[in-house]
Structure formats: structure tokens, C-alpha cells
Amino acid sequence: MGRLNKAERQKKLQDKLEENPFLIDKELAEIFGVSIQTIRLDRMELGIPEVRKRTKSVAKQAYSKVKSVQSGEIIGELVDIELDQSGLSILEVTEELCLEKTKIVRGHHIFAQANTLAVAIIDTDVALTGSSKIRYNRPVYIGERLIAKAKVEKAKKNKFYVNVETKASNDTVFTGEFIIFSVDDPDKEV
Amino acid sequence: MGRLNKAERQKKLQDKLEENPFLIDKELAEIFGVSIQTIRLDRMELGIPEVRKRTKSVAKQAYSKVKSVQSGEIIGELVDIELDQSGLSILEVTEELCLEKTKIVRGHHIFAQANTLAVAIIDTDVALTGSSKIRYNRPVYIGERLIAKAKVEKAKKNKFYVNVETKASNDTVFTGEFIIFSVDDPDKEV
DNA sequence: CTTATATTAAGACCAGGTACTAATTTTCTT
DNA sequence: AAGAAAATTAGTACCTGGTCTTAATATAAG
């Protein structure tokens, strides 16, 4: 890397650390062919913390993100549920849910919200989606808020017919008819 | 926390660190009412590294996990694609994809794999799912390998009819008919 | 040539450890 | 109860990857 001036170096330094936050000052110094002190001055001026703080912050952020994917936060917040009858779920559209370039939400996230909601309103330990018929009406963009409303239309024994309608900015963007089977937990004595 | 014996303490130490890997030895010592040295001996015996290494490993793992969620790895690995014709995607079922108690994969993950595959085989910058008809045949359990096969049935202008069949252990567990719209990137000059 | 800016150096200090030695306390066994 | 074994605590030297401060150079600009 040919010797750069301060402004260029600091710009590249930021890029470099964004791409790999685990680099220590010594490594950065070698990359840019300057002394450790210079790197430290650069970090100061740019307000970039030391490697251990960067690592910790990555860990904490990513940790909670992964947890949120697992716990289902990323597939909508259940704001209102009447078991075996109806439910409401809200999902804020953030970058993570989008195709990179387009700012358009990936279809399966809209589906996931609806599916999760449909399953959640069925009052049983395990609810399985049997089949569903779905339709997307228009793309949903980053920053919109997806509001999914679910209603149980019919219920036959352990078979529930749930309709979900998802709106964004007052438009219906998704509709789905889910058939859900309730399977009571065999471990649980009745 | 009443004074525990070594075995109990070490057990709880592991739990504690699993739940919060960012605790330093001093904090652990206070939690268990023992000296720092004891905590360090415990960590040694249990093969638990120091807080900075733990943090880094959490950061790296979670980092790649988050990236994989975003990049689509978690919704299946595309192993073979013939653009505008067919494709194959493999998804190993891990705990993250399951309902906690049951070891059954959540429906929307199976859908996500199929949806992603269907979109991927369409040769365009942006492909949007218009609608789909899907069916789940049996639950899928942790440890199984989901193999999704997609085939373009019809193609009319920017409208593609894609069928996806997903198998696990030789059973067809999911079928879906997707209608996908291709939308060429307006930024891209033709 | 002189001044301002940028870079490098040097030293004291810090957190959160490792690695090792040794003393002290508790528990078990005979 | 005495002695051995196991568990706990203490203390010291050293490590990494820094911070914070002071000071000496190098380079560029007026």
C-alpha cells in the first residue's frame, strides 16, 4: 500500500475496520506502513475505540441480533392475541430483512410474520402449518410497518383455518390462508 | 448465593458464562463468594478461556451467523442452479430453526428455503414473489437435511411459474407453486 | 526561513488476564 | 484425633493491547 496522506489513510482505516473490526493497532500500522502512534492518533480523531471495545460491541450487538432471530422477534411482535380467534402482529421493516440493493423486503419475512402469527393464536403446545395459499400484492419497502391481522375462520377438531391479512401504509400487501394442525404435546398429561 | 461445593460451583459457573459470557473473573468471584484464584482454577479445569477470548469468539460466531442470516445461508445452500430453468438447495436442520421444545422445524424456514431458491433461479437483478400455493406434508425434525428442487414450469414475459418440492429423508415434506415477477434494475442501463 | 502540521518515540500506567510457587484451610480416611 | 489429600487463597513476575502525556523529528506551506 503506497504511502497515503492523512485524509486518505483515515478514510481507508474506517473502511478496513468496518470490514474487519478485530484488527489491532500493530496490524493496522503494518497495513498502512506507518507507526503505531499514527494509527492511535487516527483512531482518536475518528473516535474509534480500541480493539477490545470494538470486539465487545460487535459481540453484544450480534449476540442480541442472533437471539432476536431465534426468539422470533425478527418475525414480528405479537401485540394482541385472542386464543383460537384472532391476533395482531407488528413488524418494523429494517435493513436486515431486505434485499441489499433494493430496499425491498424479502417475501419469506412477510410470510414468516403471518405464519408465526397464525400459529401463535392456536391454543396448543405445538401447532403445525399444514398448507397455505398466499398472495403478495405489492413490494414492501424499508421503513414501512407491517401490520398482520389473523382471524380463525373455521375450526374442525384439530384443524384450524386461519386467514391473515398484512397491511403496510394502509395497503394490503399480503393475504394468506393457513391450515393449521394442533398437536397436543404428548408429554403433557391431560 | 450460599457457599457451594466445587462440583456445584463449576456447574453453575458454566451456566452463568453461557448465559453471560462477558463476566470477568472478579465479578464471578463475587457472585460465588470465592477468591479470584478459585475462579481461575475452575476455568482451567473446565477449559473455559478468559473473558477477552470468550468475547472475541462470541463476536466472531455471532458475526458470521448474522451475516449468514442476511446473506441467506441460513435459508439453504444453493448447490446447483440453471438460470431460468431449475435449481437445488440444501438446508441442514439445526436447533436455531426449530421450535424450542419439539425439535420440529418452523414452517416459515421451509418456506424461506423454497422461496429463496425460487427467486434465485430467476435470472434478474430483482425478483419478487407475487403469490404462491404451498403445502406441508409432514413435520421435519432436527438433524434432517432438506433438499429443495425447483423447476420453472412456465415463463411469460416477466412472470415465472416455479414449482418447488422439498424432501427430507426421501419424503416429500413440502410443495409450493410460486409465481415470481422479475423486475429489472432501473439503475442498470441496457 | 520559519511556522504549522504530521509523524514518530518514549515512558508511566491500566485491565484482565497467564503461569508458577507456596501457604493455608477443609475434608476425608484410617 | 492424626495425617494425608483435596480445595482454596495469596503473591509475584510477566503478557497483550491498549491510554495518556510529553517531547522530539520530519514534512509541507506561507
Side-chain angles (χ1 to χ4, degrees), chain A residues 169-180:
Chain A
S169 321
N170 281 321
D171 298 332
T172 299
V173 294
F174 170 93
T175 53
E177 295 165 35
F178 294 84
I179 302 173
I180 290 176

Side-chain angles (χ1 to χ4, degrees), chain B residues 16-167:
Chain B
K16 209 84 196 171
L17 285 179
E18 213 147 300
E19 165 200 314
N20 178 6
F22 307 119
L23 292 168
I24 63 177
D25 289 354
K26 199 182 152 200
E27 290 168 334
L28 290 165
E30 276 159 20
I31 288 170
F32 291 102
V34 295
S35 71
I36 287 191
Q37 331 294 332
T38 302
I39 295 295
R40 290 185 176 159
L41 279 174
D42 284 349
R43 276 200 299 104
M44 292 239 148
E45 285 174 24
L46 298 169
I48 299 172
E50 60 170 296
V51 71
R52 288 170 295 216
K53 285 185 187 162
R54 295 196 302 268
T55 304
K56 191 162 182 179
S57 118
V58 166
K60 291 210 158 176
Q61 268 186 49
Y63 207 49
S64 71
K65 241 188 201 174
V66 167
K67 283 222 169 138
S68 80
V69 170
Q70 286 173 5
S71 70
E73 197 186 305
I74 219 165
I75 42 183
E77 193 190 343
L78 303 173
V79 288
D80 183 40
I81 285 196
E82 282 202 59
L83 288 175
D84 291 341
Q85 289 188 44
S86 65
L88 198 73
S89 158
I90 292 181
L91 177 60
E92 299 281 352
V93 176
T94 57
E95 320 170 44
E96 292 108 79
L97 308 180
C98 292
L99 295 157
E100 262 183 59
K101 313 171 215 170
T102 56
K103 315 282 185 194
I104 294 175
V105 183
R106 297 211 214 177
H108 59 263
H109 286 117
I110 300 174
F111 176 85
Q113 179 191 19
N115 183 64
T116 304
L117 176 60
V119 168
I121 62 177
I122 304 305
D123 182 20
T124 182
D125 281 329
V126 185
L128 298 171
T129 320
S131 76
S132 50
K133 227 163 94 183
I134 66 183
R135 162 166 289 286
Y136 294 91
N137 298 301
R138 75 147 167 89
V140 177
Y141 297 90
I142 197 168
E144 288 194 297
R145 180 201 300 263
L146 288 165
I147 299 174
K149 260 188 210 167
K151 207 173 176 188
V152 177
E153 292 295 331
K154 275 192 291 182
K156 271 190 200 168
K157 275 197 274 186
N158 69 333
K159 215 168 168 180
F160 294 82
Y161 296 79
V162 183
N163 281 5
V164 180
E165 189 179 10
T166 304
K167 291 191 175 196

Side-chain angles (χ1 to χ4, degrees), chain A residues 38-88:
Chain A
T38 301
I39 295 296
R40 290 187 175 157
L41 279 175
D42 284 349
R43 276 202 298 103
M44 291 240 149
E45 285 174 26
L46 298 168
I48 298 172
E50 59 170 297
V51 71
R52 288 170 295 217
K53 285 184 187 161
R54 295 197 301 269
T55 304
K56 192 162 182 179
S57 118
V58 167
K60 291 210 156 176
Q61 269 186 48
Y63 207 49
S64 70
K65 244 186 201 173
V66 168
K67 283 223 166 137
S68 81
V69 171
Q70 288 174 2
S71 69
E73 199 186 301
I74 219 163
I75 43 182
E77 192 190 343
L78 303 173
V79 289
D80 184 39
I81 285 196
E82 280 203 61
L83 287 175
D84 291 343
Q85 288 188 45
S86 64
L88 198 73

Side-chain angles (χ1 to χ4, degrees), chain A residues 58-126:
Chain A
V58 167
K60 291 210 156 176
Q61 269 186 48
Y63 207 49
S64 70
K65 244 186 201 173
V66 168
K67 283 223 166 137
S68 81
V69 171
Q70 288 174 2
S71 69
E73 199 186 301
I74 219 163
I75 43 182
E77 192 190 343
L78 303 173
V79 289
D80 184 39
I81 285 196
E82 280 203 61
L83 287 175
D84 291 343
Q85 288 188 45
S86 64
L88 198 73
S89 156
I90 292 180
L91 176 61
E92 300 282 350
V93 177
T94 57
E95 321 169 44
E96 293 109 77
L97 309 181
C98 292
L99 295 158
E100 262 184 60
K101 312 172 215 167
T102 56
K103 315 285 185 191
I104 295 176
V105 182
R106 299 212 211 177
H108 59 261
H109 287 117
I110 301 175
F111 178 85
Q113 179 192 21
N115 183 64
T116 305
L117 176 61
V119 168
I121 63 177
I122 305 304
D123 182 20
T124 182
D125 281 330
V126 184

Side-chain angles (χ1 to χ4, degrees), chain A residues 133-153:
Chain A
K133 225 163 96 184
I134 66 183
R135 162 165 288 286
Y136 295 90
N137 298 300
R138 75 150 168 86
V140 177
Y141 296 90
I142 196 168
E144 289 194 296
R145 180 201 300 264
L146 287 167
I147 299 173
K149 259 187 212 169
K151 206 172 174 187
V152 176
E153 293 294 331

